[in-house]
């Protein structure tokens, strides 16, 4: 089953949006298989965002992302990577549709409250980076009410 890495950024944690974001993924039918609140520091965050190291906003991004704890999660389900991105909304909150997390709860790209993996490959990399201890495998009693087969 596909998995994605979803992270509530320091502003989302400070603004009390952890429950709201978890609620949306739970109610959709996705399964939570790992979660923790952590402040990993600069080097770890730079590794997470290594692809963006050349961007002008990179130093600001790293200082934003290390300004407080982040809530790290792994969610599992069919198509969860692409659907998770749709649920988050566009990177730019001004372009995020109402009804999406970013569309409903933020205004600026530099304070866009949540992260979601953009592909299955990057999801697997991010899960390994953030959860070297592994995830929790469990069977949900809801699965036959969510999946047909
Ligand atoms: P994503 O989070 O939607 O995948 P990315 O392009 O991977 O978007 O960028 C990672 C994060 O970097 C964004 O979520 C946002 O917090 C920040 N970011 C992206 N573009 C800008 C920008 O133009 N100015 C400031 N911050 C940016
Ligand atoms: Mg990205």
């Amino acid at each position: 089953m596909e998995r994605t890495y979803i992270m509530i950024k320091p502003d989302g944690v400070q603004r009390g949006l952890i429950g709201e974001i978890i609620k949306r993924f739970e109610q959709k039918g996705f399964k939570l298989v790992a979660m923790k609140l952590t402040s990993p520091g600069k080097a770890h965050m730079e590794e997470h965002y290594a692809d963006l190291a050349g961007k002008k906003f990179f130093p600001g991004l790293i200082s934003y992302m290390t300004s407080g704890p982040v809530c790290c999660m792994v969610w599992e389900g069919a198509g969860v990577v692409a659907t998770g991105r749709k649920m988050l909304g566009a990177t730019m909150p001004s372009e995020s549709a109402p009804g999406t997390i970013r569309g409903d709860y933020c205004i600026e790209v530099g304070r866009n409250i949540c992260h979601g993996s953009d592909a299955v490959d990057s999801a697997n990399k991010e899960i390994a980076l953030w959860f070297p201890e592994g995830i929790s495998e469990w069977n949900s009693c809801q699965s036959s009410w969510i999946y047909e087969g």
Side-chain angles (χ1 to χ4, degrees), residues 9 48-49 51-52 55-58 60-61 64-65 85 88-92 102 108-118:
K9 297 180 176 184
H48 173 77
Y49 280 125
D51 290 356
L52 301 173
K55 302 278 184 192
K56 223 175 80 190
F57 60 79
F58 189 71
L61 172 63
Y64 157 47
M65 289 300 300
R85 291 283 294 190
L88 259 50
T91 304
M92 299 288 170
R102 287 166 172 167
E108 289 200 332
V109 66
R111 296 289 184 271
N112 64 356
I113 70 170
C114 52
H115 165 84
S117 310
D118 61 7

Side-chain angles (χ1 to χ4, degrees), residues 37-48:
L37 197 72
T38 183
S39 305
K42 201 163 170 257
H44 189 95
M45 206 56 85
E46 285 173 346
E47 192 174 344
H48 173 77

Side-chain angles (χ1 to χ4, degrees), residues 21-118:
I21 293 167
I22 290 177
K23 186 181 95 180
R24 291 181 181 218
F25 279 84
E26 268 190 334
Q27 291 188 342
K28 173 71 177 168
F30 293 134
K31 188 168 77 173
L32 183 63
V33 292
M35 180 165 81
K36 66 184 170 193
L37 197 72
T38 183
S39 305
K42 201 163 170 257
H44 189 95
M45 206 56 85
E46 285 173 346
E47 192 174 344
H48 173 77
Y49 280 125
D51 290 356
L52 301 173
K55 302 278 184 192
K56 223 175 80 190
F57 60 79
F58 189 71
L61 172 63
I62 298 304
S63 104
Y64 157 47
M65 289 300 300
T66 54
S67 63
V70 290
C71 179
C72 312
M73 296 176 280
V74 179
W75 287 90
E76 186 180 283
V80 69
V81 172
T83 302
R85 291 283 294 190
K86 284 186 203 153
M87 290 166 65
L88 259 50
T91 304
M92 299 288 170
S94 56
E95 291 161 17
S96 311
T100 65
I101 293 164
R102 287 166 172 167
D104 288 350
Y105 297 115
C106 59
I107 295 173
E108 289 200 332
V109 66
R111 296 289 184 271
N112 64 356
I113 70 170
C114 52
H115 165 84
S117 310
D118 61 7

